[in-house]
Amino acid sequence: MDDEPQIHRFLKPALEAAGLAVLRADTAAEALRLAATQAPDLILLDLGLPDMDGQEALVRLRAFSAVPVIIVSARAREAEKVQALDAGADDYVEKPFALAELLARIRAALRRVAPPGTKQETVRRFGPLEVDLARRTARLDGHDPLRLTPREWALLAALARAGDGRVVTQRHLLATVWGAAHLEDTQYLRVYVAQLRQKLGDAASLIRTEPGVGYRFGDAL
């Protein structure tokens, strides 16, 4: 995610030429939504975003994802670098940068999380429910995929990524599914959780409410 169109115009074809598929996000809200629903292998993050400081975006991202993050920013102060790395960034590249160096840092970051011969887990199972994050499908007991709206899928994907009975806050879900402008719109969330539970049928108990906080998802008690 980057706030400079000229960076996008230069960087996207360069990354694609290196064999990488690229998702573009012009705002932090869009980037967080894509991170929650598309499961990217790596994120390039600018700190100067139009709707949110990149440092805050990083903190929100780390609340639900361990995806490698490389900061690409014109901010060169040591304090900025330390803050980003302490918040969970994997690397920090200053603008202007050499493309060859950036590509090398991307390869290094991907090697750390996916050694040769390993395959990233994209299918998650919770009792009778199978969530395929790559294919964007959810099945109960191996039957045909559930018919989910885009927002219902985004909500289910965000919960499934957390899994393991961990609490996912209301604010996090609102930010990733609806965007940063809807952090207080908890009624949206309640309505969609109810719809999702209805479609899950007997597996609705996988979504457990933590009153005033958020939701837990999965088999863990």
Side-chain angles (χ1 to χ4, degrees):
M1 42 180 152
D2 197 296
D3 68 330
E4 298 182 37
Q6 63 270 29
I7 293 291
H8 279 297
R9 286 195 295 268
F10 151 72
L11 197 53
K12 187 173 187 290
L15 293 175
E16 290 175 340
L20 301 171
V22 179
L23 291 172
R24 171 176 173 170
D26 296 311
T27 66
E30 176 67 5
L32 290 169
R33 186 186 68 79
L34 289 175
T37 60
Q38 298 295 318
D41 294 323
L42 180 140
I43 290 176
L44 299 178
L45 170 63
D46 195 333
L47 297 182
L49 298 170
D51 59 335
M52 184 189 307
D53 187 82
Q55 298 277 14
E56 174 62 20
L58 176 60
V59 170
R60 296 192 184 194
L61 175 69
R62 281 292 176 252
F64 67 92
S65 175
V67 62
V69 175
I70 298 177
I71 302 296
V72 181
S73 177
R75 300 182 191 176
R77 292 193 304 115
E78 179 179 327
E80 291 277 6
K81 296 179 182 180
V82 170
Q83 181 181 352
L85 294 169
D86 281 346
D90 295 85
D91 205 345
Y92 197 111
V93 177
E94 293 180 26
K95 295 179 184 178
F97 54 84
L99 178 60
E101 179 185 356
L102 178 62
L103 290 173
R105 290 177 183 269
I106 288 172
R107 291 192 296 270
L110 292 175
R111 282 196 302 271
R112 287 195 293 272
V113 295
T118 64
K119 182 178 179 181
Q120 185 179 14
E121 179 187 5
T122 60
V123 178
R124 306 204 174 174
R125 292 177 176 83
F126 307 92
L129 178 66
E130 176 186 281
V131 181
D132 190 324
L133 297 168
R135 292 185 172 85
R136 297 171 58 83
T137 59
R139 300 173 186 269
L140 284 170
D141 295 317
H143 296 304
D144 290 340
L146 299 176
R147 293 182 176 273
L148 302 176
T149 68
R151 290 211 190 273
E152 288 169 350
W153 166 255
L155 177 58
L156 178 61
L159 291 168
R161 288 185 197 288
D164 301 326
R166 289 180 289 178
V167 176
V168 186
T169 67
Q170 294 176 351
R171 289 176 65 84
H172 165 67
L173 291 171
L174 287 165
T176 55
V177 179
W178 284 272
H182 297 279
L183 294 182
E184 305 302 325
D185 296 332
T186 55
Q187 181 60 27
Y188 287 177
L189 186 55
R190 286 194 291 271
V191 169
Y192 274 83
V193 167
Q195 292 175 186
L196 189 55
R197 280 175 168 152
Q198 184 175 22
K199 292 186 177 181
L200 289 175
D202 291 341
S205 60
L206 289 171
I207 305 176
R208 303 188 299 281
T209 303
E210 287 290 326
V213 179
Y215 299 89
R216 295 181 187 270
F217 188 76
D219 302 311
L221 296 176

